Amino acid sequence: MIELLWNAPVSESRMTEILDVLELNAGQRVLDIGCGYGEVLIRLYEQYQITGTGIELSGEHIAEARRRKQGRVPDSQVEFIEADAGAFPFEQSSYALALCLGATHAFALGSDAYRNALARMIPLVESGGQLLIADGYLKQPAGPEYRALLGEAIPDEMTHAANVTTGQQLGLVPLAAWTSSEQEWDDFEWRYQRIVERKAREQPEDQGLQEKLQRRREWMQAYLQWGRDTLGYGLYLFQKP
């Protein structure tokens, strides 16, 4: 969905605030795992003149990231690579900042995806470097109907506090944390809904899109009934000692 700045319930003003906190220096290396459309990495270059690498499995997303960087970032400063992060030969202890925003599944699926992603990212960051990771969490235990839709990827014990504690258990120092507001969630969900509705309407012969629309409508109904009170999204900034 290339109409979105980033595929997350985070407003542009909130993302600007988060990027300001990072305080990077020109020339430092930044790695974005599951970079999506590349917008965050591009903005980090525009703000700090970093050198960046974005890894993304989706060829469509990589194409959009490369399109977005035209006229904004020199090719020598930021590269976008279509690859599986789980098998990519990352350089160790090489990055001042590693990002994984809503893409912890790039390393492993399931209830331990968040912890696994942090554990895999730590060796990539230099001593004193930063890790910025974002993932869903539960504000309250999911009821049985909502759990059936969510699956087990976000267990009840995966709370905002637990996400911070997980970093500490892995030896990281928490520096900041942000959570998406109800308005950010609403803006994101309804914008995504409009995109899917429009694309399905424009391509009625595309069976895949029609099936996606049906799943999306079911998700939206569940979001309105249970998700607004249950599902959270947090961004966590850690430092490697």
Side-chain angles (χ1 to χ4, degrees):
M1 298 300 165
I2 61 175
E3 294 88 344
L4 298 169
L5 278 175
W6 34 74
N7 191 19
V10 181
S11 66
E12 190 166 6
S13 60
R14 177 68 62 88
M15 187 65 77
T16 298
E17 171 192 339
I18 293 169
L19 299 188
D20 284 345
V21 170
L22 299 175
E23 297 183 344
L24 297 165
N25 296 319
Q28 286 187 309
R29 298 183 70 192
V30 174
L31 174 66
D32 190 349
I33 299 163
C35 65
Y37 317 129
E39 186 67 29
V40 172
L41 197 55
I42 291 169
R43 293 189 181 209
L44 283 172
Y45 170 79
E46 291 174 330
Q47 185 165 349
Y48 295 110
Q49 291 73 58
I50 52 89
T51 297
T53 300
I55 306 295
E56 170 61 47
L57 186 59
S58 167
E60 180 184 10
H61 290 180
I62 284 291
E64 171 64 9
R66 290 171 177 166
R67 185 195 68 79
R68 290 188 184 192
K69 85 168 191 175
Q70 293 176 5
R72 297 171 67 185
V73 183
D75 287 338
S76 60
Q77 294 302 114
V78 172
E79 63 176 343
F80 293 109
I81 301 172
E82 182 181 347
D84 180 356
F88 193 80
F90 294 109
E91 296 180 50
Q92 305 293 295
S93 303
S94 299
Y95 300 95
L97 170 67
L99 309 166
C100 186
L101 305 182
T104 59
H105 57 273
F107 289 114
L109 298 175
S111 59
D112 291 328
Y114 174 83
R115 176 181 288 272
N116 289 341
L118 267 180
R120 292 286 299 276
M121 291 164 67
I122 290 171
L124 311 181
V125 177
E126 62 192 25
S127 179
Q130 301 175 96
L131 299 89
L132 181 62
I133 187 168
D135 209 353
Y137 68 90
L138 293 188
K139 295 184 282 188
Q140 63 179 2
E145 297 98 335
Y146 194 44
R147 173 58 67 192
L149 185 64
L150 283 179
E152 297 303 320
I154 306 179
D156 288 344
E157 60 268 23
M158 189 174 182
T159 65
H160 177 54
N163 284 348
V164 175
T165 300
T166 296
Q168 292 174 303
Q169 292 171 343
L170 292 170
L172 298 172
V173 179
L175 299 180
W178 301 265
T179 59
S180 296
S181 68
E182 195 170 82
Q183 187 62 59
E184 285 175 305
W185 267 111
D186 283 347
D187 290 346
F188 170 72
E189 292 289 356
W190 284 113
R191 180 182 293 271
Y192 198 95
Q193 185 73 23
R194 291 193 298 273
I195 290 169
V196 176
E197 292 280 357
R198 175 175 55 77
K199 290 194 171 185
R201 185 173 63 252
E202 292 173 349
Q203 302 178 58
E205 74 290 345
D206 189 321
Q207 187 59 34
L209 268 178
Q210 300 309 313
E211 292 172 358
K212 182 175 183 177
L213 174 61
Q214 182 59 38
R215 292 193 302 272
R216 178 64 206 175
R217 287 175 173 174
E218 292 173 359
W219 171 269
M220 197 63 187
Q221 184 61 41
Y223 168 73
L224 293 171
Q225 189 166 355
W226 304 298
R228 293 178 89 241
D229 298 324
T230 304
L231 187 60
Y233 188 80
L235 299 98
Y236 308 94
L237 179 63
F238 298 101
Q239 186 170 48
K240 179 179 177 178

